[in-house]
Amino acid sequence: MGSISEKYCIVGVGETPHMRPSGRTTLSMACEAVKKAMDDAGLKPRDIDGMTSYQFSDSCSSDSVAAALGIRLNYSHEILGGGTSTEALVGKAIGLIEAGYCKVMVIFRSMNGRSGVRMGGQAPEGPAPPVQARGYDQFAMHWGATSPAQYFAPLAMRYLRDSGATTEAFAEVAVAHRYHASLNPKAWFRTPLTIEEHQRSRWIVKPFRLLDCCLETDVAAAIIVTSRERAYDLRQPPVFIMGGLARSNLQTPGNRLFAMAGVSPKDVDLVSAYDAFTWTALLLLEYYGFCGKHEAPDFVKGGRLQIDRDLPANLSGGHLSEGYTHGVAMVIENVRQLRHRADDACPGWAEGKHSYDRKRGCRQVRNARIAVSMGEGGVPGAQLGSPADATSEMYTSALLLRGIWS
Amino acid sequence: MSTETRRDFEIESARRAGKDRPSSRIDYSKLVIVPDPDTAEWWAGTHEHKYLVRQCAECGHKWFPPLPACSNCTSMKLDWFETRGTGIIYGYAVVTQPILAAFTAAVPYIIGLIDLDDCLDIRGVPVRVKGIVLNTEEEVGIGLPVRAVFESTDDPNIVVPHWTVSGDRPGCWRFAEK
């Protein structure tokens, strides 16, 4: 990112509860998330002049949220996108602020992901008008791939063969994220999990079991980006954006992220890895160089992704256990951790006072200084890279973030 | 050495009985495939039991699905290459929970990634296609050879290619977890 590394900050975060079902409109949920992010930052509607969101034509627009909250925008824009969008839109916000289009940008995602438009379309028991397969879907649906789990599973199977791993590697991810969810009062699933319980859960699409798949919820989440100068006037300790990637193919080199800021994976204190499935989190650890190709199963073995261990991952519980936000939570939790204000059971969390006693429900990582948020998505059917590798159809976005404490 | 599988036997029996209609048990009345100008000729090919891939008329590069330009040279002068419809399983998955209503009766089914064995792209890499493998979980494995079979649907314009294991290969990899 060169000269603008750390020139921009994330200053506000907020989200609705995870609901099943919400009984609300995506507009109502988006307003709540944006309002909470503004309150968190200490910003008023008059301070916001940019807003952007991502969706699959399943949500409300920025200008409708702005109208409802009395915000006057200089910039608003929606994009189509999934799990690579949050980090990519932060990159876009930096560019737009740098270019003078606006000064304070809100990024949100609002979805009735459980009760409204679900990933992969209708449930079998629901009303079933004929589904039309157009575009890429012509070459996915006709062979029975109709959901993200079904797109990814054959590649995950190949990964198991090539790495020599078993699904216990997947279980390590599920168990670590669930442990962190047990320390998060906002998480949907809070009962700790064992490897054996993961292995006993029912198959969805082999090699994925139920506990390999994320938890679809109704939720909206928002973050606010502005310049370093503006950040110092605001309520929270700023979180600096050291570097980022936006929708890069997984066959491009991931170490560019660290090169932008002159640090290495060894400098990172915690991560969030997009866990639509347990396996996608493993792939991201390899891509960004926390371990080598096909080494993630060994890297995560024995609880090494758990808090107080080698590389704490998805401290909120992630999409697997806190609830599915389509990626925003990958950034929100890291921001809270880097402020040293994880909203856990510690009475003084809002002032940064933590017990670090996990048995008393503290989930703040000690001395958290640098975090990486890693998004992931795919374009099933478009074979753009070498088919000799499972990652040729997958994309990632990322943010390298630093707290003010280091 | 015979390489016939139970599925081959079923298909051959069906063919001799005059009903060469391998069935995926997908309800195609609930899944409407809508060809477009980029893909209509490909679907027409399946009618004649041809498995086509795109080939660049200028540089010879091959690819699938039929995206409308050559990723090697950007040419938009395109031909079709008729493959033998044979390949090797690169990866697979076993769907046990249906998502769309069209697939309710089809589970469990195998989705496969197939490397075509007579069809290299310009870099010498096999072109990879995808499809349902009409075999049981015990019969499939990474590395096994497969061939295309064609299922007619209720829509007279749509014939859908699937795959069936066509032989054995020592050392093929199977998912062993229960």
Side-chain angles (χ1 to χ4, degrees):
Chain A
M1 204 169 275
S3 64
I4 61 167
S5 180
E6 304 204 8
K7 190 174 167 187
Y8 294 93
C9 300
I10 297 174
V11 295
V13 297
E15 73 272 71
T16 67
H18 291 273
M19 297 167 281
R20 306 175 71 168
S22 70
R24 296 170 63 181
T25 61
T26 53
L27 178 59
S28 161
M29 293 193 297
C31 287
E32 179 182 338
V34 171
K35 177 180 157 60
K36 283 178 168 170
M38 287 193 299
D39 290 348
D40 179 59
L43 288 164
K44 300 288 181 209
R46 64 173 177 275
D47 300 318
I48 307 291
D49 65 350
M51 197 179 297
T52 185
S53 77
Y54 61 101
Q55 53 170 275
F56 285 124
S57 303
D58 60 353
S59 191
C60 57
S61 63
S62 293
D63 52 6
S64 61
V65 174
L69 292 173
I71 295 169
R72 297 287 172 267
L73 293 173
N74 290 317
Y75 179 92
S76 70
H77 193 202
E78 273 57 59
I79 65 158
L80 290 177
T84 53
S85 300
T86 308
E87 296 88 352
L89 285 178
V90 170
K92 190 169 152 183
I94 290 170
L96 289 162
I97 300 170
E98 182 76 16
Y101 281 78
C102 56
K103 291 187 170 65
V104 181
M105 175 79 90
V106 171
I107 296 163
F108 76 85
R109 173 72 171 117
S110 181
M111 59 196 296
N112 277 318
R114 175 76 189 186
S115 66
V117 180
R118 292 191 70 171
M119 289 290 154
Q122 83 232 35
E125 69 272 18
V131 171
Q132 294 200 331
R134 296 173 185 273
Y136 283 142
D137 280 344
Q138 289 171 68
F139 299 102
M141 282 187 179
H142 89 257
W143 54 275
T146 61
S147 73
Q150 294 170 2
Y151 303 143
F152 287 42
L155 297 170
M157 191 74 96
R158 179 74 190 196
Y159 178 91
L160 291 177
R161 182 247 185 212
D162 289 348
S163 66
T166 69
T167 60
E168 284 197 21
F170 299 172
E172 288 282 357
V173 175
V175 169
H177 294 192
R178 179 65 67 84
Y179 175 45
H180 301 149
S182 78
L183 306 172
N184 178 4
K186 307 185 304 294
W188 190 271
F189 286 136
R190 300 194 59 203
T191 309
L193 189 67
T194 65
I195 301 275
E196 293 70 33
E197 283 165 336
H198 167 277
Q199 299 275 298
R200 280 201 303 271
S201 69
R202 69 185 163 89
W203 294 110
I204 299 297
V205 44
K206 292 182 184 181
F208 294 149
R209 296 177 173 88
L210 179 68
L211 294 177
D212 290 310
C213 301
C214 63
L215 165 70
E216 290 170 297
T217 55
D218 298 348
V219 68
I223 63 179
I224 303 178
V225 177
T226 191
S227 64
R228 185 185 185 112
E229 294 76 37
R230 187 81 177 85
Y232 281 115
D233 302 329
L234 301 181
R235 183 171 288 156
Q236 299 286 353
V239 170
F240 303 111
I241 300 162
M242 304 171 79
L245 295 185
R247 285 193 184 166
S248 294
N249 188 273
L250 233 55
Q251 294 200 320
T252 61
N255 57 15
R256 287 173 298 151
L257 176 70
F258 299 100
M260 285 174 180
V263 297
S264 85
K266 288 190 170 44
D267 299 312
V268 173
D269 300 299
L270 67 142
V271 298
S272 286
Y274 194 82
D275 52 348
F277 308 102
T278 50
W279 174 65
T280 54
L282 295 177
L283 274 191
L284 290 167
L285 294 173
E286 294 179 3
Y287 176 77
Y288 287 101
F290 293 100
C291 56
K293 192 173 173 65
H294 294 154
E295 289 175 7
D298 268 344
F299 182 78
V300 303
K301 206 168 189 172
R304 293 182 64 198
L305 297 180
Q306 295 180 23
I307 195 167
D308 301 323
R309 297 290 304 279
D310 303 67
L311 187 68
N314 298 58
L315 274 299
S316 70
H319 290 154
L320 292 170
S321 286
E322 183 189 34
Y324 188 60
T325 59
H326 222 169
V328 195
M330 300 296 120
V331 176
I332 288 182
E333 177 66 13
N334 285 357
V335 167
R336 290 186 172 128
Q337 289 283 343
L338 292 176
R339 291 171 175 174
H340 294 186
R341 283 157 171 73
D343 47 351
D344 54 19
C346 297
W349 68 261
E351 292 82 46
K353 292 177 185 148
H354 287 277
S355 69
Y356 301 100
D357 183 345
R358 311 309 170 198
K359 291 196 169 55
R360 286 161 59 196
C362 177
R363 78 166 194 285
Q364 176 64 49
V365 172
R366 265 183 202 278
N367 302 319
R369 298 169 309 130
I370 294 181
V372 181
S373 302
M374 304 179 278
E376 192 279 334
V379 187
Q383 291 174 328
L384 300 173
S386 161
D389 193 286
T391 57
S392 62
E393 297 184 333
M394 296 168 70
Y395 287 77
T396 182
S397 299
L399 289 175
L400 182 61
L401 301 172
R402 184 173 73 79
I404 202 164
W405 318 102
S406 43
Chain B
M1 186 184 76
S2 170
T3 57
E4 197 172 73
T5 65
R6 196 181 81 213
R7 190 73 206 177
D8 282 328
F9 177 76
E10 285 172 6
I11 290 168
E12 181 61 18
S13 303
R15 193 188 65 76
R16 289 184 189 183
K19 41 177 184 174
D20 185 9
R21 292 193 49 166
S23 174
S24 59
R25 302 185 303 279
I26 296 168
D27 183 351
Y28 283 103
S29 71
K30 292 179 176 156
L31 177 65
V32 180
I33 294 167
V34 187
D36 59 45
D38 292 340
T39 67
E41 290 174 359
W42 189 84
W43 287 105
T46 65
H47 252 276
E48 300 166 32
H49 292 200
K50 291 177 181 171
Y51 203 104
L52 304 176
V53 300
R54 264 295 184 204
Q55 180 164 31
C56 177
E58 300 205 27
C59 77
H61 184 49
K62 301 189 187 85
W63 67 93
F64 190 85
L67 302 174
C70 174
S71 65
N72 183 57
C73 75
T74 71
S75 170
M76 295 182 76
K77 287 185 192 161
L78 308 180
D79 291 330
W80 296 98
F81 174 81
E82 184 182 346
T83 74
R84 282 200 306 260
T86 56
I88 301 291
I89 296 178
Y90 172 86
Y92 70 95
V94 186
V95 180
T96 56
Q97 175 160 317
I99 304 295
L100 299 179
F103 295 88
T104 304
V107 292
Y109 62 92
I110 313 286
I111 51 186
L113 308 181
I114 315 294
D115 282 352
L116 297 176
D117 60 11
D118 65 339
C119 186
L120 302 179
D121 72 12
I122 200 149
R123 300 160 302 174
V125 177
V127 174
R128 182 170 304 148
V129 301
K130 308 174 183 190
I132 290 184
V133 183
L134 296 174
N135 289 80
T136 64
E137 183 181 352
E138 292 71 28
E139 291 167 339
V140 299
I142 290 176
L144 285 179
V146 289
R147 62 180 171 81
V149 292
F150 294 85
E151 178 180 14
S152 300
T153 70
D154 296 336
D155 180 345
N157 293 313
I158 297 294
V159 174
V160 180
H162 303 300
W163 298 85
T164 182
V165 174
S166 59
D168 202 1
R169 179 154 301 182
C172 84
W173 185 92
R174 288 191 166 95
F175 185 59
E177 298 181 37
K178 297 300 170 199

